[in-house]
């Protein structure tokens, strides 16, 4: 069966420090991968998505970047965190053949202080 | 993607059916209705989706009106573990090779009470 792993679960970082959040998927090949952020309120905002190794699309301009060094690995990074980067970050994957369902990781609660 | 409107919150007694409404009056003919839920501090979980016909799975039932301008998610026997925020989303395909441009909106916070 397929599983998605996201870590760490919680993170407290000072302003100006770097960030690296990692997401890996098991049990599938060539997944579509996504990074979302949930800030104030409940809505989720798509940050990045990837349909293959080295292929990254950004949805909104921001202080973050993403990389996909391996087929089932997706990394969210920042060189210098801002207070506004605080939030709940979620990684998700979907099967490129099944366009109706997506699977989310458990999320990372990031607090920038 | 069509806009959806949901009540911000609802209560339901444990063991009773929970009926969560969603309005999507501008839905296009090729757009699906999706439902996800998010339990506090966890990732969203897929529940069900449909196009025209009513759908049922092990988690819930989805009732879509004939004109497709509204739908209702039904949890037949709500339990305390069903307490979550429920999101109704309308789009052509939820996930495709053009990117998962998923807009969850604010959803309905369902509280199941003993």
């Amino acid at each position: 069966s397929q599983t998605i792993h996201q870590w760490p679960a919680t993170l407290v970082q000072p302003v100006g420090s770097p960030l690296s959040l990692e997401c890996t998927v098991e049990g599938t090949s060539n997944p579509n991968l996504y990074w979302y952020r949930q800030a104030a309120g409940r809505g989720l905002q798509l940050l990045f998505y990837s349909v293959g190794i080295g292929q990254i699309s950004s949805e909104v301009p921001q202080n973050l970047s993403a990389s996909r060094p391996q087929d089932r690995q997706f990394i969210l990074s920042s060189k210098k965190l801002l207070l506004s980067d605080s939030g709940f970050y979620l990684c998700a994957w979907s099967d490129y053949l099944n366009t109706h369902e997506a699977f989310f990781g458990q999320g990372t609660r990031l607090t920038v202080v | 993607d069509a806009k959806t409107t949901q009540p911000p919150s609802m209560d339901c007694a444990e063991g009773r059916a929970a009926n969560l409404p969603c309005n999507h009056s501008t839905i296009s003919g090729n757009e699906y209705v999706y439902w996800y839920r998010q339990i506090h501090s966890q990732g969203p979980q897929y529940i069900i989706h449909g196009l025209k016909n009513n759908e049922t799975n092990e988690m819930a039932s989805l009732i879509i009106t004939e004109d497709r301008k509204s739908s209702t998610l039904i949890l037949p026997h709500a339990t305390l573990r069903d307490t979550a925020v429920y999101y109704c989303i309308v789009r052509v395909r939820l996930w495709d090779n053009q990117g998962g441009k998923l807009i969850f909106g604010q959803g309905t916070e369902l509280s199941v009470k003993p």
Side-chain angles (χ1 to χ4, degrees):
Chain A
S1 63
Q2 302 91 351
T3 57
I4 179 169
H5 303 279
Q6 186 182 341
W7 66 92
T10 59
L11 191 60
V12 179
Q13 292 285 95
V15 170
S17 64
L19 172 73
S20 181
L21 302 180
E22 188 165 345
C23 172
T24 60
V25 180
E26 296 178 356
T28 188
S29 298
N30 195 29
N32 293 333
L33 296 172
Y34 312 85
W35 277 110
Y36 282 85
R37 177 169 63 197
Q38 190 171 35
R42 309 170 199 155
L44 270 68
Q45 179 186 39
L46 177 64
L47 301 176
F48 301 95
Y49 68 91
S50 171
V51 298
I53 296 175
Q55 301 179 60
I56 308 295
S57 296
S58 175
E59 285 298 298
V60 294
Q62 59 213 320
N63 185 41
L64 303 168
S65 62
S67 62
R68 184 171 178 173
Q70 300 180 39
D71 181 45
R72 290 167 290 175
Q73 183 185 30
F74 206 22
I75 298 172
L76 183 69
S77 304
S78 173
K79 292 182 179 179
K80 290 185 178 181
L81 284 170
L82 305 173
L83 288 174
S84 58
D85 291 324
S86 294
F88 191 46
Y89 288 83
L90 288 155
C91 180
W93 76 272
S94 66
D95 188 323
Y96 75 100
L97 291 177
N98 175 7
T99 58
H100 288 300
E101 190 169 352
F103 304 90
F104 285 81
Q106 289 303 295
T108 296
R109 177 76 59 188
L110 172 66
T111 303
V112 182
V113 296
Chain B
D1 298 343
K3 181 180 177 180
T4 62
T5 303
Q6 299 176 252
S9 64
M10 293 181 63
D11 290 340
C12 178
E14 188 179 19
R16 303 295 295 271
N19 298 284
L20 293 93
C22 180
N23 287 322
H24 31 80
S25 58
T26 60
I27 190 171
S28 299
N30 60 348
E31 287 184 310
Y32 289 81
V33 179
Y34 294 85
W35 283 86
Y36 272 70
R37 74 179 183 184
Q38 188 175 19
I39 296 170
H40 182 63
S41 295
Q42 296 184 22
Q45 177 189 24
Y46 166 85
I47 301 173
I48 199 167
H49 76 278
L51 183 63
K52 296 180 181 178
N53 301 321
N54 297 336
E55 302 288 342
T56 296
N57 62 20
E58 65 278 3
M59 290 184 67
S61 295
L62 174 60
I63 308 298
I64 303 174
T65 58
E66 190 169 347
D67 64 7
R68 302 187 71 238
K69 293 185 177 182
S70 66
S71 60
T72 301
L73 178 74
I74 300 173
L75 307 178
H77 305 286
T79 70
L80 298 179
R81 289 178 295 179
D82 291 322
T83 293
V85 178
Y86 287 77
Y87 298 100
C88 170
I89 305 141
V90 172
R91 62 168 288 159
V92 175
R93 281 189 304 275
L94 195 61
W95 308 90
D96 56 32
N97 284 341
Q98 303 308 310
K101 298 181 181 180
L102 190 64
I103 302 173
F104 271 73
Q106 298 302 303
T108 296
E109 186 164 13
L110 175 68
S111 296
V112 181
K113 301 181 183 299

